[in-house]
Amino acid sequence: MSRIAQVIVDVPSRGTDRPFDYIIPESMQGWLEIGSRVGVPFGPRTLQGFVVGLSMESDTPAVKLKPIKELLDLTPPLSEDLVELSEWMSARYACHRITALQVMLPAALKGKAERYIRVTDRSEWAERGSNLQRDPDELVLFESADELTDMEAQIVAHIQKQQEVRMEHLTRKFASHADVIKQLLQRGVLSESRSIRDKVQKKTIRTVSLHLPEDEIRTIIEEFPAKARRQKEVLTFIADTGGEIPLKDIMTVLGVTAGTVKSLADKGYIVIRDMEVFRDPYKNHSFAPSQPFVLTDEQQMVYNAIVQRLDTRTEGEFLVHGITGSGKTEVYLQSIQRVIEQDRQAIMLVPEIALTPQMVERFKSRFGDHVAVMHSRLSSGERYDEWRKIREGQALVAIGARSAIFAPFANLGLIIMDEEHETSYKQEESPKYHARDVAVHRAHQHGAVVILGSATPSLESYHAARSQSSDEFNPALLEIHGRALGSELPEVHIVDMREELKEGNRSMFSRPLHQAIEDRLEKKQQIVLLLNRRGHSTFVMCRTCGYVAECPNCDISLTFHQRSNNLRCHYCGHAQPAPEICPECGSEHIRYFGTGTQRVEEELAKLFPGIRVVRMDVDTTTQKGSHEKLLNQFRDKQADLLLGTQMVAKGLDFPDVTLVGVIAADSALHLPDFRAAEKTFQLLTQVAGRAGRHHLPGEVIVQTYNPDHYSVVHASRHDYASFVREELKHRQVLSYPPYCRLALITFSHEKLPLLVRIAENYVQMVKDHSHKLGWLGSLERFSAEALDVLGPVASPIPRLKNRYRFQCMIKWRGDMDVARLAEHISEQLQDSVRDKDLQISIDVDPQVLM
Ligand code: ADP
Ligand code: ZN
Ligand code: ZN
């Protein structure tokens, strides 16, 4: 039996980023496991921590070892494989171990220490007397309650009655007597203890059941005194119904008070207890059960390849490249079915769960209550319960965004990542992990299969599948070329907006798009309209002098919010009233551009009187369930046109949509991001895939100022292969992923000169280190040819929240632990500067370069 536990404590700092040894008290022997959550003394505080190892001995001198204070859960919230995964993550993404552990758990389990107060035991006094360094005479003073003032006695009595009260409660109850409480604590009459409490409690309902055998109860009912008619009724009801009955139900059905029921409990006939229940966020939804389709030949081939691995229980990765509407989801569903039959579990990742109600519906219809939905819009209590269903083995399939990759299944058989190219799979704050890499690692741990699916795979995955060059990630490529329902991909027309302008059309709608919309309205078919808003902002500009309102704290223009009529900074939250006249030149011609989609909506109403529009953007989808409501409205044909940003491009499957319009295809093309062309191609392909998915043929109209750009041209021909060929050429020439890996290092500080010096030092140190052999005692070689460092330069957002920002980029090829190098240098610099204000953040494999 282990005596010592290694614990990672909940302080995300460099000094505490290692396991600390604690003694396992006897009472926890047999309960404490790797993955247990514990409360431990740490300096003067009590902190939450996670057990990451167990041992017999400790290197820490015995006198310094303290015992673990409390065990917070009966079942450890983390399994051993997740604990191991956190170690891998902290190395790969240069993050603190605790940050990696925390991201795996629902927020509800982020416990915080609370203070409890009780009346000090007399026996304890004697024992603790010396420690407390109190005058021994003083102790005697409290031997009798007479020595307490009235107020003191009142407080002591209050606490004694409840044995233990929360500090918060006490200070509220005796609000004007904080001094008295403090005094009592100092004198040792009261003592405090600390304990970790979860933010969210398990939900319970009060239930009632029989306490005696039923025949005995029947006799009791017979002999009940006549005047206790109500009690008799209640007891009969409980005996007749049997099992555990919610107390509420008894009260409503029989119209009795809780007191009546309780008096039966007092007599020992029944027991009242709190039973734990799961909150079910989908309890008011009904899902019509769905049967598996007979697969098409292409689907069948993909399915067979996957099942071959599943049946032989061999791990492996697949990249399913299937055009939009090719029926990838059906392949996922049937593969999961197979895994469930093998008594294993599956994780289904989607880019953003709020945007994919249709996906959730298909999963609930197929697998019913076996599905746990990990949804950011659920309350933290609901989220906690969905998580517990997984941990306790009640759910077999978890569906959710990025963080669902940590679903604590014991026996994982399959991980599916739909739309694997989406950037939302990368977390932008620490731990800056990519769900794809985590998926591959978890699958290795479990001998599970990974399926990456997309109509437009990321170049990284596609290249890995084609070249089979890496040891870690070698997906086998499976392709589906036809649509499941046999329909053709829609025809795509490119409209050159420069020509439109030349011919005098200043509207945001080109003539072909205008005509097509009119046509569909007449035919009563539906339309999806995409406004690509990346790169567009909704700023305030003076038309006389060109003044643009900017945030005083960040170098970025302020966004106009129509509802509140003010200007806000999206980064720091700064808000100011919208000006009536230009603050620079005094002109009245200052214009507010409302959100792009709002303007399009207004324009639509003007051009097509009576058109029914559903607008989906950040403004209309802030409320829980609002996406679903809007989409249902569109599905039920209460609207002719669905207008929106990126949100409308993905995953939607509406049979009557025959026209897709793209207002500004190229607005993201010129962003300073080497993936700009790839993102544009993906978005156009995805949104085009919304048209003509079922029996009616579809048409797509793309408006652009760059009609010859290869991303636009290839997307219009549905030609992924040609796009990839051309894009890979560019990447190779400029040396960008997938031909190398990147790490983005961002420095920030309030003082610019210091910041520049730090950034320059950093770059120099990377260069110096890369020439050394055997760096940090490892045998890896950081060869100068394979490693390159660019910068430092000012970040694309050069100032944020009053802090200046600089960055540099490390590029490398081959198998080098650059994360460790970057972290090591960062630590050296932090140590030499000793300025708490300096922040250095490391982003390995960054997705967003801004
Ligand atoms: P993808 O996820 O590849 O875009 P979907 O899975 O949404 O494609 O499939 C497109 C449509 O085809 C859906 O309406 C789906 O119900 C239907 N479908 C998929 N597979 C089959 C099949 N084997 N037989 C009949 N219909 C199918
Ligand atoms: Zn002006
Ligand atoms: Zn700001």
Side-chain angles (χ1 to χ4, degrees):
M1 218 170 258
S2 315
R3 284 180 50 246
I4 306 293
Q6 282 82 48
V7 175
I8 299 277
V9 293
D10 189 2
V11 183
S13 76
R14 174 150 61 97
T16 52
D17 192 19
R18 64 173 178 88
F20 290 89
D21 282 359
Y22 286 91
I23 297 168
I24 305 172
E26 205 162 330
S27 63
M28 290 177 205
Q29 289 287 358
W31 290 101
L32 203 82
E33 295 172 48
I34 290 183
S36 287
R37 195 165 58 115
V38 291
V40 290
F42 197 79
R45 296 178 290 174
T46 297
L47 294 178
Q48 174 171 303
F50 296 93
V51 176
V52 298
L54 297 169
S55 61
M56 280 311 296
E57 304 295 329
S58 170
D59 294 335
T60 311
V63 286
K64 288 200 172 167
L65 285 176
K66 289 183 200 159
I68 291 176
K69 213 159 157 186
E70 48 190 337
L71 180 62
L72 296 173
D73 323 82
L74 285 183
T75 328
L78 292 165
S79 49
E80 226 173 306
D81 61 306
L82 287 174
V83 170
E84 192 275 326
L85 184 69
S86 72
E87 193 174 9
W88 175 83
M89 281 172 71
S90 94
R92 169 147 184 142
Y93 301 110
C95 69
H96 299 308
R97 185 93 184 266
I98 189 68
T99 316
L101 288 164
Q102 291 286 16
V103 80
M104 298 174 175
L105 293 174
L109 290 183
K110 216 170 180 303
K112 78 175 211 291
E114 272 189 2
R115 302 169 67 187
Y116 288 86
I117 308 295
R118 62 194 162 72
V119 179
T120 311
D121 221 298
R122 287 209 184 126
S123 54
E124 213 178 319
W125 282 17
E127 203 179 302
R128 286 176 39 186
S130 57
N131 290 343
L132 293 174
Q133 297 182 324
R134 199 186 295 114
D135 183 351
D137 292 340
E138 218 182 323
L139 285 176
V140 186
L141 286 180
F142 305 114
E143 287 283 286
S144 77
D146 307 341
E147 304 297 335
L148 300 174
T149 65
D150 280 357
M151 194 61 231
E152 287 172 346
Q154 209 179 320
I155 293 173
V156 167
H158 176 80
I159 298 169
Q160 221 148 22
K161 214 164 74 197
Q162 315 193 31
Q163 292 188 345
E164 201 175 53
V165 297
R166 284 189 15 226
M167 185 67 173
E168 237 178 67
H169 163 88
L170 200 64
T171 48
R172 218 179 310 123
K173 168 106 185 154
F174 298 97
S176 49
H177 302 284
D179 285 357
V180 185
I181 298 171
K182 260 187 228 159
Q183 271 242 348
L184 287 171
L185 277 165
Q186 267 165 17
R187 277 151 58 192
V189 180
L190 300 181
S191 15
E192 76 172 314
S193 61
R194 281 156 204 261
S195 181
I196 306 285
R197 251 175 59 107
D198 289 340
K199 285 200 185 133
V200 173
Q201 301 294 307
K202 288 176 185 169
K203 188 178 175 183
T204 56
I205 53 168
R206 199 142 274 195
T207 62
V208 176
S209 56
L210 294 180
H211 191 45
L212 301 171
E214 197 187 326
D215 43 349
E216 258 177 73
I217 293 285
R218 296 282 175 201
T219 331
I220 293 168
I221 293 172
E222 295 284 299
E223 294 163 1
F224 232 82
K227 62 177 197 302
R229 189 178 48 85
R230 296 303 254 164
Q231 288 186 26
K232 185 171 170 178
E233 233 174 85
V234 172
L235 198 57
T236 314
F237 180 81
I238 298 169
D240 288 354
T241 315
E244 287 202 37
I245 311 158
L247 176 61
K248 267 229 175 77
D249 290 1
I250 299 177
M251 288 161 62
T252 37
V253 171
L254 301 179
V256 295
T257 62
T260 312
V261 183
K262 194 168 168 291
S263 55
L264 287 167
D266 293 342
K267 290 183 177 132
Y269 301 157
I270 59 170
V271 279
I272 301 177
R273 68 174 194 115
D274 288 328
M275 187 175 77
E276 217 177 88
V277 291
F278 291 115
R279 285 158 270 227
D280 181 4
Y282 290 89
K283 71 167 177 279
N284 296 323
H285 290 236
S286 63
F287 298 96
S290 81
Q291 292 304 313
F293 288 111
V294 176
L295 297 178
T296 64
D297 290 349
E298 282 192 308
Q299 280 175 323
Q300 189 70 47
M301 274 170 37
V302 171
Y303 175 76
N304 289 348
I306 293 165
V307 162
Q308 194 268 332
R309 284 286 172 91
L310 292 177
D311 286 356
T312 53
R313 312 251 169 168
T314 31
E315 61 186 51
E317 299 118 28
F318 294 99
L319 175 61
V320 178
H321 174 212
I323 62 168
T324 54
S326 60
K328 295 184 289 293
T329 310
E330 186 59 33
V331 175
Y332 303 156
L333 289 165
Q334 296 196 20
S335 306
I336 291 175
Q337 183 64 44
R338 189 70 160 216
V339 165
I340 292 176
E341 283 159 13
Q342 298 174 345
D343 273 333
R344 295 194 288 172
Q345 301 95 37
I347 296 174
M348 173 77 203
L349 298 177
V350 293
E352 205 188 318
I353 186 106
L355 299 184
T356 39
Q358 286 191 325
M359 187 67 99
V360 173
E361 206 170 302
R362 284 162 87 171
F363 271 69
K364 281 272 186 185
S365 297
R366 194 67 62 88
F367 303 116
D369 287 343
H370 294 312
V371 180
V373 181
M374 306 180 90
H375 195 312
S376 56
R377 291 270 171 102
L378 300 182
S379 71
S380 62
E382 286 170 335
R383 249 181 296 166
Y384 177 39
D385 284 2
E386 293 294 292
W387 179 87
R388 280 201 299 141
K389 270 189 230 165
I390 298 169
R391 185 72 182 120
E392 288 165 23
Q394 296 201 22
L396 304 175
V397 182
I399 176 166
R402 180 175 70 220
S403 64
I405 192 58
F406 303 113
F409 285 122
N411 203 359
L412 200 52
L414 179 60
I415 302 172
I416 299 170
M417 201 166 162
D418 193 32
E419 313 286 5
E420 69 88 31
H421 60 276
E422 285 287 339
T423 34
S424 63
Y425 283 122
K426 174 82 199 276
Q427 175 152 307
E428 295 303 330
E429 65 265 23
S430 190
K432 298 179 179 179
Y433 71 93
H434 198 298
R436 190 196 297 130
D437 304 326
V438 178
V440 170
H441 190 83
R442 270 205 95 182
H444 282 313
Q445 289 178 317
H446 285 260
V449 167
V450 178
I451 304 175
L452 308 173
S454 176
T456 52
S458 65
L459 289 184
E460 283 87 345
S461 298
Y462 194 72
H463 185 69
R466 291 269 298 271
S467 63
Q468 300 284 314
S469 58
S470 136
D471 316 326
E472 273 175 53
F473 179 49
N474 279 313
L477 186 62
L478 302 171
E479 304 206 276
I480 312 181
H481 301 95
R483 281 184 151 180
L485 293 162
S487 57
E488 292 295 313
L489 281 171
E491 201 165 313
V492 181
H493 305 285
I494 299 177
V495 179
D496 185 346
M497 289 307 274
R498 297 170 305 184
E499 290 297 318
E500 289 287 310
L501 201 63
K502 258 189 227 160
E503 306 204 5
N505 179 9
R506 295 175 157 271
S507 148
M508 62 174 84
F509 294 97
S510 62
R511 288 160 302 170
L513 183 55
H514 192 274
Q515 263 168 24
I517 294 176
E518 243 165 21
D519 174 66
R520 301 309 134 99
L521 289 175
E522 215 161 88
K523 290 186 183 147
K524 305 219 175 313
Q525 295 173 353
Q526 290 182 300
I527 305 154
V528 168
L529 201 55
L530 169 81
L531 176 71
N532 187 0
R533 228 168 54 97
R534 280 190 56 162
H536 264 293
S537 50
T538 52
F539 49 89
V540 175
M541 194 176 89
C542 170
R543 302 181 91 183
T544 309
C545 76
Y547 160 84
V548 172
E550 282 193 351
C551 174
N553 311 320
C554 315
D555 284 341
I556 195 144
S557 47
L558 291 169
T559 307
F560 177 59
H561 283 250
Q562 202 155 46
R563 273 191 207 155
S564 45
N565 192 39
N566 66 9
L567 306 178
R568 269 183 243 162
C569 171
H570 277 185
Y571 289 94
C572 73
H574 166 85
Q576 65 186 59
E580 306 270 323
I581 55 166
C582 173
E584 287 286 300
C585 74
S587 158
E588 284 170 14
H589 297 287
I590 185 151
R591 258 203 74 170
Y592 313 127
F593 294 94
T595 57
T597 39
Q598 257 171 352
R599 273 170 63 222
V600 179
E601 192 180 15
E602 284 161 22
E603 195 76 10
L604 280 167
K606 245 185 268 165
L607 294 173
F608 309 97
I611 190 171
R612 296 168 307 164
V613 176
V614 167
R615 175 162 65 93
M616 221 166 92
D617 58 25
V618 283
D619 287 339
T620 61
T621 53
T622 44
Q623 264 164 24
K624 185 171 168 178
S626 48
H627 285 99
E628 222 171 330
K629 231 168 66 201
L630 294 175
L631 290 176
N632 286 344
Q633 214 175 320
F634 189 64
R635 186 196 56 203
D636 299 343
K637 305 204 75 173
Q638 293 166 31
D640 310 301
L641 188 146
L642 175 65
L643 163 68
T645 50
Q646 270 73 349
M647 290 179 193
V648 302
K650 297 162 200 164
L652 306 178
D653 187 30
F654 297 112
D656 291 324
V657 172
T658 59
L659 174 66
V660 164
V662 182
I663 302 239
D666 38 27
S667 60
L669 216 44
H670 304 294
L671 290 179
D673 181 342
F674 72 90
R675 291 192 182 90
E678 185 183 0
K679 300 265 169 61
T680 300
F681 178 84
Q682 287 165 349
L683 183 66
L684 291 179
T685 306
Q686 294 292 337
V687 73
R690 301 311 114 207
R693 288 170 70 84
H694 291 235
H695 303 294
L696 299 166
E699 182 188 5
V700 181
I701 296 179
V702 174
Q703 303 187 158
T704 174
Y705 291 92
N706 296 278
D708 304 320
H709 193 279
Y710 64 97
S711 64
V712 177
V713 171
H714 292 312
S716 77
R717 296 186 188 140
H718 309 291
D719 191 351
Y720 176 78
S722 299
F723 169 74
V724 168
R725 213 174 302 125
E726 194 148 350
E727 180 67 7
L728 283 178
K729 258 189 274 166
H730 291 289
R731 300 277 180 97
Q732 190 156 27
V733 170
L734 299 171
S735 186
Y736 271 118
Y739 295 100
C740 69
R741 287 182 63 196
L742 299 179
L744 180 70
I745 321 292
T746 304
F747 312 88
S748 76
H749 196 278
E750 283 182 2
K751 299 194 186 87
L752 189 58
L754 176 80
L755 184 66
V756 174
R757 210 183 69 226
I758 298 283
E760 278 168 355
N761 272 344
Y762 193 99
V763 168
Q764 193 52 50
M765 284 164 85
V766 174
K767 284 180 181 157
D768 293 347
H769 271 292
S770 68
H771 292 288
K772 282 188 203 154
L773 271 171
W775 171 73
L776 272 184
S778 85
L779 293 174
E780 292 160 278
R781 181 186 180 135
F782 286 83
S783 77
E785 307 90 72
L787 188 145
D788 197 7
V789 50
L790 311 178
V793 293
S795 299
I797 300 167
R799 198 167 54 115
L800 204 57
K801 301 180 192 176
N802 272 325
R803 301 169 62 86
Y804 291 94
R805 288 150 48 89
F806 258 68
Q807 66 182 37
C808 73
M809 179 119 76
I810 306 176
K811 283 183 175 183
W812 75 98
R813 277 176 284 120
D815 207 9
M816 291 188 269
D817 196 352
V818 172
R820 197 149 148 246
L821 173 72
E823 200 181 12
H824 172 71
I825 295 175
S826 160
E827 284 170 3
Q828 280 193 339
L829 267 175
Q830 301 262 23
D831 285 346
S832 69
V833 178
R834 290 177 170 277
D835 185 339
K836 278 219 168 80
D837 203 37
L838 172 69
Q839 276 172 20
I840 303 179
S841 99
I842 301 168
D843 189 351
V844 179
D845 304 325
Q847 285 289 320
V848 177
L849 299 176
M850 310 280 276

